[in-house]
Amino acid sequence: MTKTTDTPVLETLAAMTADSIERCGLDDSTLILTRLAALAAMDAPAISYVAHVDPAMKANLTAEQLQDVLVAIAPVVGTARVMSAATHITEALGVAIAVAESDAEAMAEAGAHDRSKS
């Protein structure tokens, strides 16, 4: 019998991603850029890009590199998908920033709460 979790879909996706990374010989930057190109090609929703924000930052990818990928794939996937991808990437970055701000606020509140107990 399998163990039931609160987030089985997210855990499955994380396991698939980890397995893919282990089996892939690409460097981190190339791997993330390739995945972003694939997401753009399939017109993935913004939430699909969110999982790639942190790895892209850790791989030191620049906005110019992300734009270069979109420019490179435009003749193959088309203008509509590239513009959609650009919008979704921007939305994903907004979600990541909002989450980071929320985490920072929660940490600040926890710190203030701990200090008030002292």
Side-chain angles (χ1 to χ4, degrees):
M1 182 172 197
T2 59
K3 182 180 176 185
T4 304
T5 67
D6 291 339
T7 57
V9 174
L10 292 176
E11 289 177 19
T12 300
L13 292 172
M16 289 170 39
T17 299
D19 189 44
S20 171
I21 290 169
E22 287 176 17
R23 295 171 185 262
C24 182
L26 297 174
D27 63 85
D28 292 346
S29 295
T30 304
L31 174 67
I32 297 303
L33 292 172
T34 301
R35 286 178 177 221
L36 293 173
L39 290 172
M42 60 187 295
D43 198 21
I47 194 68
S48 297
Y49 291 88
V50 171
H52 296 84
V53 171
D54 187 55
M57 290 172 51
K58 287 179 180 173
N60 296 316
L61 292 177
T62 65
E64 291 77 20
Q65 288 172 304
L66 298 177
Q67 290 172 359
D68 286 344
V69 166
L70 296 179
V71 168
I73 66 172
V76 177
V77 302
T79 305
R81 293 228 170 153
V82 167
M83 295 307 295
S84 178
T87 300
H88 292 150
I89 290 169
T90 302
E91 290 172 12
L93 289 171
V95 168
I97 290 168
V99 168
E101 288 174 350
S102 177
D103 288 349
E105 288 174 11
M107 288 173 51
E109 288 175 12
H113 181 50
D114 289 345
R115 285 189 300 276
S116 69
K117 286 183 173 181
S118 302

